[in-house]
Amino acid sequence: VGGGFTSASDAESEWIEIENLQFRQCWPMSIRITSSQNIVFRSLIITDSKWAIYAHSPNTQHIIVEDSAWNQDPSGKLWTDLPWASLHHGKHSYYNGAFFFSTGITGNVIIRNNTIRNAYNGIRMKGNQKRVRHLNKNVQIYNNKFIRIRDNPIEPEISAYNWWIHHNEINNAHAWFSLTEL
């Protein structure tokens, strides 16, 4: 499937399950979620995108991502050939993405039983210091495999509240957990 999936941007979307799909070369993102709740993604195979799943808006919550696989860079060059600084904010910063990336969502997110490989970040969720207990909250990340992650397998950024991270496998990563600006 080319192009990707986008939930409604202004109206709210609820109670949707998407499973058994393949996404290839969907740049910058394969899936975009805005103002949506109770969304389940299951058994997806996503290859070659900056963000596999991108979620934003304080009205976005109750998301489950399970039994899926993402290979950001099938060539493997992101891990073997490209300098970290060039990937972070330099010439190759277009790789500075994540399997699940969110900005300012309420939370209530479960990410389990996924395989994330040859990627810049695994799970990166940005909160808000002024709304610590209201955004970026109630997150469970477990039973995932993170393989060759150039930056962080798991990165709660700016704020995080009530996160549970357990039973994950991390194989080759720059920094396992980055708790920045918390």
Side-chain angles (χ1 to χ4, degrees), residues 28-48:
M29 66 198 76
S30 296
I31 298 167
R32 178 175 169 246
I33 308 164
T34 304
S35 297
S36 300
Q37 301 89 34
N38 303 303
I39 311 291
V40 177
F41 298 100
R42 183 180 300 116
S43 301
L44 305 178
I45 298 173
I46 303 171
T47 306
D48 198 12

Side-chain angles (χ1 to χ4, degrees), residues 41-46 53 64-70 99-100 110-117 123 140-147 167-169:
F41 298 100
R42 183 180 300 116
S43 301
L44 305 178
I45 298 173
I46 303 171
I53 300 170
I64 297 173
V65 182
E66 62 186 357
D67 303 322
S68 296
W70 180 51
F99 172 66
F100 185 86
I110 298 172
I111 300 174
R112 62 183 171 210
N113 304 320
N114 300 289
T115 300
I116 301 157
R117 71 177 67 238
I123 295 143
Q140 297 178 45
I141 301 168
Y142 61 93
N143 292 341
N144 298 288
K145 292 181 181 178
F146 299 93
I147 304 162
H167 293 94
N168 294 290
E169 178 183 323

Side-chain angles (χ1 to χ4, degrees), residues 53-136:
I53 300 170
Y54 173 73
H56 65 100
S57 169
N59 296 330
T60 299
Q61 64 178 322
H62 298 290
I63 298 169
I64 297 173
V65 182
E66 62 186 357
D67 303 322
S68 296
W70 180 51
N71 187 347
Q72 183 181 21
D73 174 30
S75 75
K77 290 180 182 178
L78 188 150
W79 179 256
T80 59
D81 297 344
L82 302 176
W84 183 89
S86 176
L87 292 163
H88 190 61
H89 290 296
K91 178 179 174 182
H92 298 98
S93 63
Y94 53 87
Y95 278 117
N96 189 346
F99 172 66
F100 185 86
F101 178 67
S102 68
T103 56
I105 68 171
T106 296
N108 304 310
V109 173
I110 298 172
I111 300 174
R112 62 183 171 210
N113 304 320
N114 300 289
T115 300
I116 301 157
R117 71 177 67 238
N118 297 320
Y120 190 74
N121 286 302
I123 295 143
R124 183 177 177 206
M125 297 177 67
K126 287 185 174 185
N128 184 312
Q129 286 179 334
K130 295 177 182 175
R131 300 188 67 200
V132 170
R133 294 182 187 221
H134 302 284
L135 297 176
N136 220 19

